[in-house]
Amino acid sequence: MAPKKNLQEREKELRSLLVTTAGREELQELASRYSAASGKLRPAGHSAVTYILVHERNQGLISG
């Protein structure tokens, strides 16, 4: 199993996806999957990156 990424590493990874259309679509899809899995909608005004980071941190997928 790969070691957990820290919060800053994961945020940098996710933000790098914002530069392309395909990357932005990937972020939206991941946020949608996390929303469906948790049963919680992404709060208005919060970015997909923030939503993903909070979800992954709550699930123990990232540290920090």
Side-chain angles (χ1 to χ4, degrees):
M1 185 164 97
K4 290 182 187 178
K5 294 180 182 178
N6 70 36
L7 181 62
Q8 291 78 20
E9 290 171 331
R10 184 61 172 147
E11 182 175 10
K12 184 177 179 181
E13 183 179 89
L14 293 171
R15 290 201 182 278
S16 72
L17 294 173
L18 291 171
V19 298
T20 65
T21 301
R24 287 188 297 275
E25 290 173 1
E26 184 178 337
L27 286 173
Q28 292 302 320
E29 175 59 31
L30 185 56
S32 293
R33 284 194 314 235
Y34 284 173
S35 178
S38 69
K40 297 178 183 176
L41 296 176
R42 186 171 92 202
H46 288 85
S47 72
V49 170
T50 300
Y51 185 81
I52 292 166
L53 290 172
V54 169
H55 179 83
E56 290 181 351
R57 192 168 180 193
N58 289 340
Q59 295 298 311
L61 301 173
I62 56 176
S63 62

